[in-house]
Amino acid sequence: MNDHHRPLSSSSLFGEQVDEAFAGLSAGDTVRLVHTSGGVPVLAYAQVVRAERGNVYLALTARTSLDAGARVILEPTVGDAARHIVAIIAATERTLTARIISAANRDRREYPRLSGRVDVRYGVCASEADAAAWMRGAEVTGVDHAPSPWMEFSATGLAFEDRDFTRQGQDLLMDLRLPGHRTRWRCVARVIRVLPLPDADATATHRVCVNFEQIPSEATIALARYTIRVQEALMEG
């Protein structure tokens, strides 16, 4: 049997397995898979074939380099179902079988963030129609807050400091640009936490943590690559 198709034993997985159901996932759902720990970021989409007893069986929409042993984020593309950290235990060119390592509601920061520069502009989203218009490229009023670009980031969210402009649970219309890129990517982000700063000043009084709800795949890949660049710089000292 080719190694690419060989399932892993329980003892070779990264971390402890969790014997629980994939909360909120049903056959036919589309999910996004994000993997950044292998040196080359991978973003893939798949359809759930079935989910049972801590395993999920996926049909990929396109070929990927994901292989048995990879530890990835699995998240629904719509709705508020939980994100999961999963380990791939079997892989072919068009199918994956994965096992839950951990599950977290969307209000938990389950993916590590690093510090870096991300130029962000944002405003509170008033309606689903505004979100749709924003993602189509239309101008929407009120997207005029610009926090300090030095913030924490990951492939799935941001944490920045600003004035008290937003509340937990709100959606934000946002665009962002990363070092080395000319493109500003538009996205819709959900506020998962707003915390007062102990040493607040006139510039920033609160820490705002957001998860991306709608974001172009090119932006996710760019964030993942930026994550790798910062990690490598930290390792090199």
Side-chain angles (χ1 to χ4, degrees):
M1 179 183 294
N2 188 293
D3 287 344
H4 183 73
H5 300 80
R6 183 179 296 127
L8 292 183
S9 66
S10 298
S11 60
S12 61
L13 289 174
F14 305 145
E16 295 295 326
Q17 294 182 1
V18 179
D19 190 15
E20 60 176 80
F22 276 80
L25 285 186
S26 302
D29 288 350
T30 300
V31 296
R32 177 169 44 239
L33 304 166
V34 182
H35 175 61
T36 64
S37 60
V40 178
V42 177
L43 176 68
Y45 290 87
Q47 190 173 58
V48 176
V49 177
R50 68 181 190 277
E52 58 186 14
R53 297 181 180 179
N55 287 346
V56 63
Y57 303 87
L58 304 168
L60 293 163
T61 59
R63 296 179 181 178
T64 78
S65 59
L66 293 174
D67 203 352
R71 180 170 172 167
V72 303
I73 298 171
L74 181 151
E75 59 182 4
T77 57
V78 296
D80 293 323
R83 285 190 175 102
H84 298 83
I85 306 298
V86 301
I88 297 172
I89 57 177
T92 70
E93 289 183 346
R94 288 286 185 170
T95 66
L96 295 175
T97 301
R99 179 78 172 174
I100 294 178
I101 297 300
S102 66
N105 293 329
R106 285 179 176 263
D107 63 350
R108 289 184 59 192
R109 196 186 83 180
E110 75 290 343
Y111 199 73
R113 292 192 178 117
L114 295 171
S115 295
R117 183 184 179 95
V118 184
D119 291 303
V120 167
R121 183 174 62 122
Y122 75 94
V124 175
C125 179
S127 66
E128 291 185 5
D130 277 357
W134 179 253
M135 294 305 291
R136 288 196 305 267
E139 283 304 314
V140 178
T141 60
V143 185
D144 51 14
H145 301 305
S148 168
W150 299 103
M151 63 183 67
E152 292 184 356
F153 70 94
S154 77
T156 60
L158 304 172
F160 55 87
E161 295 180 359
D162 205 350
R163 300 292 296 276
D164 189 15
F165 295 128
T166 187
R167 298 288 183 272
Q168 181 175 326
Q170 287 181 324
D171 284 344
L172 304 181
L173 304 181
M174 180 178 289
D175 67 17
L176 59 90
R177 184 169 62 84
L178 299 176
H181 292 267
R182 295 182 179 179
T183 302
R184 295 194 72 92
W185 288 288
R186 292 189 174 204
C187 60
V188 178
R190 176 73 51 83
V191 179
I192 58 171
R193 196 172 297 109
V194 180
L195 300 172
L197 296 174
D199 52 351
D201 56 30
T203 303
T205 59
H206 287 71
R207 176 180 173 84
V208 182
C209 304
V210 304
N211 278 341
F212 300 126
E213 296 294 310
Q214 300 179 51
I215 187 169
S217 58
E218 294 86 356
T220 301
I221 289 294
L223 283 160
R225 286 175 174 159
Y226 189 29
T227 300
I228 292 170
R229 283 164 51 196
V230 172
Q231 286 174 331
E232 288 176 344
L234 290 172
M235 290 176 65
E236 292 172 359

